[in-house]
Amino acid sequence: MSLSLEHIDLSVGGETHIADVSLELEPGSFNVLLGRTLAGKTTLMRLMAGLDTPTRGRVKMNGEDVTGVSVRRRNVSMVYQQFINYPSLSVYENIASPLRLARVAAAEIDRRVRQTAEMLHIEHLLDRKPLELSGGQQQRTAMGRALVKDADIVLFDEPLVNLDYKLREGLREELRALFRERNCIAVYATTEPAEALALGGHTAVLHEGRLLQYGRSEDVYHRPLTLQTAELFSEPPINVLHGIVSGNEVTFDREVHFPLNADLSRLLPGEYRFGVRPAHVSLTRRAEDDIEIVMGVDMAEISGSETFLHVADERFHLTVHLEGVHEFEVGQAVRLFIPAHKVYAFDRQGGVVHIPTHHAGRG
Amino acid sequence: MNHKVYNNRAWWLILPMLLLVAFSAIIPLMTVVNYSVQDVFDTHTRFFTGVEWFEATLNDPALQMALLRQFAFSFTVLAIEVPLGIGIALLMPKRGWQASAVLILVTMPLLIPWNVVGSIWQIFTRGDIGLMGWGLRELGYGYNITRSATDAWGTIILMDVWHWTPLIALLCYSGLRSIPDAYYQAARIDRASQWAVFRYIQLPKLTNVLVIGVLLRFMHSFMIYAEPFVLTGGGPGSSTTFLSQSLTTMAIGQQDLGPSAAFSIIYFLIILLVCWVFYTAIMNLQKDKQQKGT
Amino acid sequence: MAEITLKGLAHSYLPDPKGPEDYAIREMDHVWHQGGAYALLGPSGCGKSTLLNIISGLLEPSGGEVLFDGERVNSLPPEARNIAQVFQFPVVYDTMTVFDNLAFPLRNIGTPPARIKERVLEVADVLELTPQLRRKAKNLTADEKQKVSMGRGLVRDDVSAILFDEPLTVIDPQLKWKLRRKLKEIHRRFNITMVYVTHDQLEASTFADRIAVMYEGQVVQFGTPRELFEAPNHTFVGYFIGSPGMNFLPVALDGDRVMCGETPLEVGEAFVRSLSGRHSTNLKLGIRPEFVAVHAEEVPDAMLAEVLDIQDLGTYAILSLRLGEQRLKARVEEDEPLPHKKAWLRFPSDRLGLYVDEYRVEVSP
C-alpha cells in the first residue's frame, strides 16, 4: 500500500489551511508530521483519511485515485489526542469492535484481539472498562482498536501528548518496534522535534499549511534546506546569528569578528544568518577556532538530566543545551564557545548555503 | 477545518422534519391568518375584511384589560419565582442521599398536570374542607376567592409559584453544580463573604440557565389557562380572566372566528416580541461587557 | 512570613486504616523554610495533591501536625492560614475587571481604597498585567488568567506562602517558558515561600531550589535538582528524574565478584567491600545512561554488551543494550564513535550508586 498526495490544497471559507502539499508515502513506512499547533498536521491527516476532500489536488492509494472516496470505504484507522473508547464496553470489546463491524469470524476475532492486547501489554485488562484504567492504559486500548484491523493507513494525532513523560518514553519506544514488523503506512503528528527523531522513519516538516521538507528524519534534521526547517526541527530552536562576511572574516552584529575557517571559506561576501544548535554551544573551548562570546545568564531551565541555559545581551539571545544539571545565577557572566565547524549558514531568503560536513550523518 | 465530504442526498433526511413542521406550525398558523382577514359565514360565503378584526380586537376594552392583567401576572410570578428558585437551589444539598431525596421532592409539583393543579388548589382553598381556606378562616381572615379579587389573585400567584418555582430551582441547581470546587476554594482563600461568593461566582455562572428559565417561564405564564379556569373560572367578575381565557370565550363560546383569529395572531406576536426583546437585551448585555473589555 | 513544618504527618482517607498501603500520606517530617522556592514532584497518585490540600487547609490530616511558624494549624480553614493558591485551571472572577480581581482580597478585609490602588498597580506592574487592568477577566488568555490568580495572592501583605497546583497545565507550550521565568522573578522579588506541585521534572527543576520527590505517600528525597540527578537517594528518583531514567542492575556477591545474574560486573574494590556482609537480597547498582562509558572497540576492564537498538536524537544517541540478561541504556554524544552490534561498557565508580532495599547507600572508596 502506498499513499500519495499530489498538489493538495484545502481552503475553507477563503482561508487556506493546506497549500500545495505533495507527499509520497512508501509502503511500510513510519512518517512523522512535525509542526507547531495549527501548522496543518491534523488537517492533512483528515485529508489522508478521507474525512475531508481537498479543494484541489489528488489523493492516490496504490496509484488509484481515491480523492472523493469516503473514509468508510478506505481502510484507515486513527488514534487521537484524547483517549477515545466506548465507555460501556470492556477493553476486549473495544478492541474487537472494528472486527465485529467487518463481520470477522468469532474465533478469528478472539485470536486477533488477544494478540493485539499482548503486543500493547494490556492482556490482563481485557475484562475491565476503559474508565477504570489509567490514562496510559486507555490510550493503549485506543491504539489496540486502531491496530487490530490491519488498516492500510494508521494515523496518530499527537497520541502521547496527554500522558506524562515517563509513559511517553515507554510507549514511543514500543510504537517504534511495533511498526517495524507491519506493512502499513503509519502517520504520526507531533509538535516535538525530539519525538520525531526518537520515532525514526521519515519526517515531514509542516508550517502554516505548507510542507517545508520531507525525508528520512536524520537527514531532515542534519540537512535542513531552509532556516525555517532548522528552527522548527530543533528543540530548543536553533540559535540564529546575523553575520556579514567580508574578505576572510565574519562579523556578528558589527562587534564580534572571526576569521572564516576552512569550512566557511567558500562563502561569498555578503549578509548571512548563521545557525548554531543549542547542544553545540559549549562552556569550554574544544577547538582552536571556536568562536568565543561572553554573555549574561537570563535563566536556566533544568529538565532533570539536562540544562537549557538562556543567555542574552543587547546583541544576541542564545540558548545552550547542556548535558547534566548545572546551576547558574541570573545575570552571571558565562563564557561560551561556538564551534566554527558546526555552524550552518543561510542566505537572506533563508535558503541553506552551508551545511557543516560533520553532519553528513553517521549512518 | 470542517471541510466535509459533500453528499447532497443528505437533504432528503430533513424532509420528514419539514413535513412535521408544516403540519404542526405552518399550516395551522396559515389557517388562523386566513380567518383573521375574512368574515366567514358558511363554506361558500366569505368576505375579505383586511385589518378590520385586528382594529376591533385592539380597541376592545375587555381585551385590553385582559392584556394588562396578563402582563401584571407574568411579571409578578417571574419576580417571585426567579429569586425564590435561586434561593432554593442554593439551599439544596450538593451530594449524598439527601441531594437525591430533595431533588425528587422539589420536582414533584412539576409532574402534576395543569388542570389537576387547579383542582388541587380549588379544594385546598375551600372554606369548609380545604386546609388553607379553613385554616385562614380559623385564624380570623375572611378568605374567599369567589368574592375577593385580592384573594383570588393572591391564590393564583401562590399556585403558580408553587407549581413552577421548582423549574427555576432545578435549572439553577444544575448550573450551580457545574461550578468547579476550585472557585469556592479560591474565594475562601480570598476571604470572600457569602454574598461576594454569590455575587461574583455563582450568579455569573447562572446567567445562561437563568435566561432559559426566564424565557420559558414567561412564555408559560403568558399562556396560562387551565389553572385559573379551574380555580376561579376567571372571577370574581373578570378580575382573574387572562388572555387565553378571553380568547377561548370568544372563539368557542361566541364562535367569533374572525376576531379570535386576529386576537390569536396579536397574542402570538406579543409573546414573540417580548421574548425577542428580552433575549436581545440579555445578549447585548453580555456583548457590552466584552466590548468594554477590549 | 512562615516556615511550614510537617511533624509526624500522616493521612488516610479511610476511617480505620490498617497497613501502610491504606495511607495516602505515610508518616513524615518535613520543613519548608521561609522564602524558599520548593517543588513537590511525583507521578499521579503519589499523594502530592493530598499533601497540598493539607497545607492549604482544605483537608485535615488524620495524624501528626502542621505547624506554621511553630503554631499548630491542623484545623484552621484556608482563609485563616495566610496562604494563597494557584490552581491547575485558572480561577478568576469572570465578571470583574482585572483590577477588581486583584483588589478583591484587599476589599474583603476592608483595606482603604488608596492603599488598594497602590498595591494593585504595583503587582500588575510586576506581572506585566498593567495594559489589561481595565479588561474583564473573562476575556483574558489562559496565561493572563493564571497571572491574575497569582496576583490575587501577591497583593496581600499577609500572605506568607503561595501554593501552585500544576499551574501550567493549560498554558500554551510556547508561553510556558515565559511564565516559568516570571515565577522565578516573582520569587526573587517577594520574600514568599512558594511550593510548586507538579509531575513534570522540567517545571520542578526549573522553578525550585529544592525538590521533594514523592512516591507512594512518602518524600523519598528532598534535594537540589543537581542532587536528584547525580545522587538519587531512592531507585524511584533515579527512574523518575531524567529521560531515559537511571539503569538499575540487580546484583549479588559471589566470592569477590559482583554478579548481575550470570554476568560478572567490573565495578572495583569499594563496591565488593560495601556489598559484603549485606543481609538484604535487594541489592542494586544504579548508573545513569549519561555516565555509562561506551566503547566501540574492546578496551581493558570493559564488559561486552549487545546493541539492541539505536535511537538517534540528533546531537546524541540513546543505545539500548543487553549486558548478560540485563537491559540498559546508554547515551552517546555525536562526536563519539557509535558501536555496531557489540559495545564495551565501563561504569565509572564515582558515577555508580549502590542501592540496598531501594535506598542509596554511601560507598566509601
Side-chain angles (χ1 to χ4, degrees):
Chain A
M1 177 57 61
S2 73
L3 176 74
S4 59
L5 308 182
E6 296 175 0
H7 302 289
I8 295 285
D9 276 356
L10 178 73
S11 42
V12 179
E15 216 178 298
T16 307
H17 290 247
I18 295 290
D20 196 26
V21 169
S22 296
L23 256 181
E24 194 80 40
L25 305 183
E26 313 222 327
S29 62
F30 198 100
N31 307 279
V32 177
L33 301 181
L34 175 70
R36 297 197 179 131
T37 5
L38 299 178
K41 304 185 295 293
T42 307
T43 319
L44 202 58
M45 284 195 157
R46 292 176 58 86
L47 288 164
M48 289 177 181
L51 287 162
D52 294 335
T53 309
T55 325
R56 211 169 56 86
R58 312 256 126 238
V59 181
K60 287 183 179 166
M61 277 170 113
N62 274 342
E64 192 190 323
D65 192 334
V66 293
T67 311
V69 176
S70 136
V71 61
R72 290 158 62 220
R73 305 235 177 94
R74 301 189 194 181
N75 190 10
V76 296
S77 51
M78 196 151 176
V79 180
Y80 301 85
Q81 256 182 46
Q82 300 82 9
F83 315 139
I84 298 175
N85 292 302
Y86 300 108
S88 60
L89 299 182
S90 65
V91 169
Y92 184 100
E93 283 305 321
N94 261 287
I95 300 176
S97 60
L99 300 179
R100 295 220 190 278
L101 283 172
R103 302 193 186 284
V104 175
E108 173 69 5
I109 289 182
D110 193 65
R111 194 184 65 78
R112 277 162 71 177
V113 169
R114 288 183 194 283
Q115 188 195 0
T116 308
E118 212 166 297
M119 210 159 63
L120 291 161
H121 308 293
I122 45 172
E123 65 271 27
H124 56 293
L125 303 169
L126 285 173
D127 298 329
R128 306 270 278 279
K129 295 275 164 66
L131 293 179
E132 299 165 13
L133 306 179
S134 70
Q137 292 164 338
Q138 288 187 41
Q139 193 61 319
R140 281 169 197 265
T141 307
M143 284 185 186
R145 235 178 37 243
L147 295 175
V148 77
K149 73 170 183 183
D150 261 331
D152 297 328
I153 304 175
V154 186
L155 303 164
F156 295 92
D157 193 358
E158 301 189 42
L160 306 183
V161 78
N162 287 328
L163 298 172
D164 66 53
Y165 73 97
K166 275 289 152 190
L167 281 170
R168 247 185 266 177
E169 251 175 59
L171 263 168
R172 201 184 285 153
E173 229 170 282
E174 283 172 38
L175 267 179
R176 218 166 110 89
L178 258 167
F179 276 89
R180 240 172 247 158
E181 289 124 44
R182 284 180 159 249
N183 197 33
C184 65
I185 297 177
V187 182
Y188 186 107
T190 182
T191 55
E192 290 171 40
E195 191 158 72
L197 285 167
L199 286 163
H202 290 65
T203 294
V205 183
L206 290 175
H207 188 61
E208 291 175 352
R210 290 176 185 280
L211 175 66
L212 298 182
Q213 196 170 343
Y214 175 71
R216 281 181 53 216
S217 300
E218 311 92 273
D219 288 347
V220 178
Y221 180 82
H222 289 300
R223 286 194 274 268
L225 294 176
T226 59
L227 179 59
Q228 212 164 30
T229 305
E231 281 179 310
L232 290 169
F233 204 162
S234 170
E235 179 60 42
I238 195 166
N239 294 302
V240 182
L241 298 164
H242 291 257
I244 293 168
V245 172
S246 60
N248 53 359
E249 70 166 15
V250 191
T251 310
F252 293 126
D253 245 350
R254 277 179 245 114
E255 282 182 41
V256 189
H257 301 274
F258 276 91
L260 284 172
N261 68 331
D263 275 2
L264 293 168
S265 59
R266 291 183 302 116
L267 292 181
L268 299 171
E271 220 182 300
Y272 294 93
R273 277 178 279 176
F274 294 92
V276 189
R277 294 200 185 279
H280 290 152
V281 185
S282 146
L283 295 178
T284 52
R285 182 179 284 281
R286 288 184 186 164
E288 203 49 45
D289 60 351
D290 279 358
I291 302 164
E292 185 182 333
I293 302 177
V294 179
M295 287 212 265
V297 171
D298 190 24
M299 176 172 164
E301 287 185 289
I302 301 167
S303 84
S305 55
E306 293 167 313
T307 306
F308 304 99
L309 181 67
H310 300 267
V311 292
D313 63 16
E314 321 69 69
R315 302 161 300 171
F316 310 116
H317 175 245
L318 290 182
T319 313
V320 187
H321 183 173
L322 302 166
E323 188 196 325
V325 175
H326 306 266
E327 282 144 10
F328 294 93
E329 290 296 316
V330 172
Q332 175 189 346
V334 284
R335 199 172 287 278
L336 302 173
F337 298 91
I338 300 170
H341 63 286
K342 287 186 178 175
V343 171
Y344 291 84
F346 302 90
D347 61 23
R348 287 167 71 180
Q349 284 74 43
V352 74
V353 290
H354 172 75
I355 293 175
T357 43
H358 187 80
H359 292 301
R362 29 178 200 193
Chain B
M1 286 280 170
N2 291 319
H3 191 77
K4 296 279 185 294
V5 177
Y6 286 111
N7 184 344
N8 282 319
R9 276 172 302 181
W11 285 105
W12 291 107
L13 292 174
I14 64 168
L15 193 67
M17 188 58 203
L18 269 179
L19 285 174
L20 201 72
V21 173
F23 274 108
S24 71
I26 301 171
I27 294 173
L29 199 66
M30 284 305 117
T31 318
V32 177
V33 171
N34 188 31
Y35 279 125
S36 71
V37 292
Q38 301 187 68
D39 196 352
V40 182
F41 285 97
D42 55 50
T43 43
H44 301 292
T45 330
R46 54 180 68 196
F47 299 99
F48 184 74
T49 55
V51 294
E52 213 173 284
W53 295 137
F54 289 91
E55 272 173 35
T57 310
L58 285 171
N59 288 324
D60 182 345
L63 290 182
Q64 284 170 353
M65 282 312 291
L67 183 66
L68 272 181
R69 275 194 293 275
Q70 185 67 65
F71 272 116
F73 174 76
S74 287
F75 286 120
T76 312
V77 295
L78 276 179
I80 298 172
E81 285 170 16
V82 170
L84 191 63
I86 295 174
I88 291 173
L90 286 172
L91 291 175
M92 279 163 75
K94 301 261 178 315
R95 42 186 78 82
W97 63 269
Q98 295 97 328
S100 326
V102 171
L103 211 58
I104 293 170
L105 223 62
V106 166
T107 324
M108 212 72 98
L110 289 174
L111 304 175
I112 303 170
W114 285 260
N115 50 355
V116 177
V117 171
S119 317
I120 290 173
W121 279 76
Q122 215 262 329
I123 297 166
F124 191 47
T125 51
R126 273 174 62 162
D128 49 357
I129 55 168
L131 190 62
M132 183 175 150
W134 177 80
L136 282 174
R137 249 186 228 178
E138 285 300 294
L139 288 172
Y141 177 69
Y143 175 76
N144 190 332
I145 59 167
T146 50
R147 265 192 232 127
S148 154
T150 322
D151 288 359
W153 259 86
T155 311
I156 289 181
I157 283 166
L158 194 64
M159 175 174 69
D160 196 84
V161 167
W162 173 81
H163 195 179
W164 290 111
T165 304
L167 180 73
I168 303 280
L170 221 57
L171 285 169
C172 291
Y173 183 65
S174 70
L176 287 173
R177 286 283 297 270
S178 70
I179 301 175
D181 276 344
Y183 278 84
Y184 295 112
Q185 291 168 17
R188 283 176 74 181
I189 287 168
D190 290 338
R191 295 173 180 158
S193 61
Q194 281 291 320
W195 166 249
V197 169
F198 173 69
R199 172 69 187 77
Y200 297 112
I201 295 174
Q202 294 171 325
L203 199 57
K205 297 272 173 199
L206 287 180
T207 326
N208 286 334
V209 289
L210 279 178
V211 169
I212 297 170
V214 169
L215 277 179
L216 272 178
R217 276 313 297 134
F218 173 77
M219 288 189 275
H220 256 144
S221 65
F222 212 74
M223 295 185 280
I224 192 167
Y225 175 72
E227 292 145 300
F229 182 74
V230 174
L231 187 69
T232 63
S238 59
S239 61
T240 58
T241 305
F242 298 119
L243 276 183
S244 59
Q245 202 183 326
S246 317
L247 179 65
T248 316
T249 321
M250 198 190 284
I252 313 283
Q254 304 162 1
Q255 287 287 323
D256 284 341
L257 287 188
S260 48
F263 184 22
S264 300
I265 287 172
I266 292 167
Y267 195 174
F268 171 69
L269 290 178
I270 289 173
I271 296 180
L272 208 62
L273 182 76
V274 174
C275 288
W276 178 79
V277 165
F278 179 73
Y279 186 78
T280 25
I282 293 282
M283 289 300 123
N284 268 331
L285 214 66
Q286 285 182 345
K287 214 188 285 168
D288 277 350
K289 278 180 198 164
Q290 273 160 14
Q291 275 163 358
K292 259 185 250 158
T294 44
Chain C
M1 305 302 114
E3 177 174 280
I4 302 169
T5 310
L6 311 175
K7 220 161 139 193
L9 187 82
H11 186 75
S12 173
Y13 289 101
L14 303 175
D16 171 33
K18 298 196 173 68
E21 64 279 0
D22 287 349
Y23 281 89
I25 304 278
R26 301 192 193 172
E27 192 173 313
M28 65 148 120
D29 293 293
H30 200 81
V31 181
W32 310 107
H33 290 290
Q34 156 59 27
Y38 298 108
L40 198 54
L41 175 67
S44 52
C46 71
K48 57 187 194 299
S49 302
T50 307
L51 190 57
L52 188 77
N53 287 342
I54 289 175
I55 297 174
S56 71
L58 294 166
L59 205 63
E60 194 172 335
S62 43
E65 289 185 308
V66 185
L67 308 171
F68 279 29
D69 282 336
E71 198 181 317
R72 186 184 152 105
V73 295
N74 277 31
S75 47
L76 280 188
E79 56 269 34
R81 286 197 185 191
N82 295 347
I83 45 117
Q85 190 164 349
V86 178
F87 298 88
Q88 196 169 5
F89 299 97
V91 174
V92 293
Y93 304 105
D94 282 345
T95 51
M96 291 188 205
T97 61
V98 171
F99 185 97
D100 290 338
N101 259 279
L102 295 178
F104 190 62
L106 298 179
R107 287 187 182 142
N108 288 334
I109 50 172
T111 312
R115 174 79 186 132
I116 291 180
K117 193 169 177 198
E118 186 189 326
R119 282 299 289 174
V120 169
L121 292 181
E122 183 189 338
V123 167
D125 183 50
V126 176
L127 292 170
E128 290 164 41
L129 281 171
T130 315
Q132 278 84 27
L133 276 177
R134 304 186 66 82
R135 290 179 57 180
K136 292 272 189 216
K138 183 184 177 178
N139 304 319
L140 299 178
T141 57
D143 59 307
E144 288 167 338
K145 284 184 183 177
Q146 279 306 50
K147 285 202 276 183
V148 170
S149 53
M150 206 189 317
R152 287 205 312 269
L154 292 173
V155 287
R156 280 164 55 188
D157 296 316
D158 60 344
V159 161
S160 48
I162 302 187
L163 311 177
F164 296 88
D165 189 1
E166 315 224 358
L168 302 185
T169 308
V170 293
I171 309 297
D172 260 9
Q174 282 96 329
L175 290 171
K176 279 187 182 176
W177 183 78
K178 283 178 89 176
L179 216 55
R180 271 201 287 271
R181 216 182 112 184
K182 186 94 295 192
L183 273 177
K184 277 197 89 84
E185 189 193 323
I186 283 169
H187 178 254
R188 274 199 309 273
R189 280 198 47 172
F190 296 79
N191 180 22
I192 290 180
T193 313
M194 292 188 173
V195 181
Y196 190 112
V197 173
T198 178
H199 63 263
D200 185 304
Q201 53 169 340
L202 176 79
E203 279 176 32
S205 320
T206 303
F207 172 76
D209 299 331
R210 285 174 82 83
I211 300 171
V213 182
M214 271 194 95
Y215 175 61
E216 292 184 338
Q218 272 176 311
V219 173
V220 286
Q221 185 166 6
F222 183 46
T224 63
R226 190 171 182 154
E227 286 163 1
L228 300 187
F229 175 67
E230 291 179 355
N233 194 31
H234 187 274
T235 50
F236 175 77
V237 180
Y239 153 80
F240 197 67
I241 300 286
S243 24
M246 199 166 189
N247 297 302
F248 288 102
L249 302 94
V251 291
L253 205 57
D254 178 17
D256 59 353
R257 287 196 309 172
V258 177
M259 302 293 287
C260 171
E262 299 293 303
T263 318
L265 299 181
E266 301 288 342
V267 288
E269 274 307 296
F271 282 87
V272 178
R273 245 180 295 125
S274 186
L275 276 168
S276 61
R278 296 272 171 200
H279 294 294
S280 171
T281 52
N282 182 1
L283 303 169
K284 287 175 187 158
L285 289 181
I287 187 159
R288 291 220 173 257
E290 290 86 347
F291 300 139
V292 175
V294 181
H295 302 272
E297 310 286 332
E298 189 168 358
V299 290
D301 291 336
M303 297 161 281
L304 178 63
E306 186 192 341
V307 178
L308 301 173
D309 187 27
I310 299 174
Q311 263 187 319
D312 187 347
L313 294 173
T315 52
Y316 65 95
I318 298 289
L319 306 189
S320 295
L321 302 155
R322 189 161 66 203
L323 178 66
E325 286 310 299
Q326 187 62 39
R327 279 166 185 256
L328 69 154
K329 296 216 150 114
R331 173 173 159 141
V332 179
E333 297 307 312
E334 67 179 333
D335 296 336
E336 297 165 358
L338 257 188
H340 292 278
K341 295 207 171 100
K342 283 178 180 176
W344 283 266
L345 312 179
R346 282 186 309 111
F347 300 151
S349 51
D350 56 332
R351 295 302 197 178
L352 197 60
L354 172 61
Y355 291 80
V356 178
D357 295 327
E358 309 301 326
Y359 280 93
R360 191 184 183 95
V361 175
E362 272 316 307
V363 176
S364 43

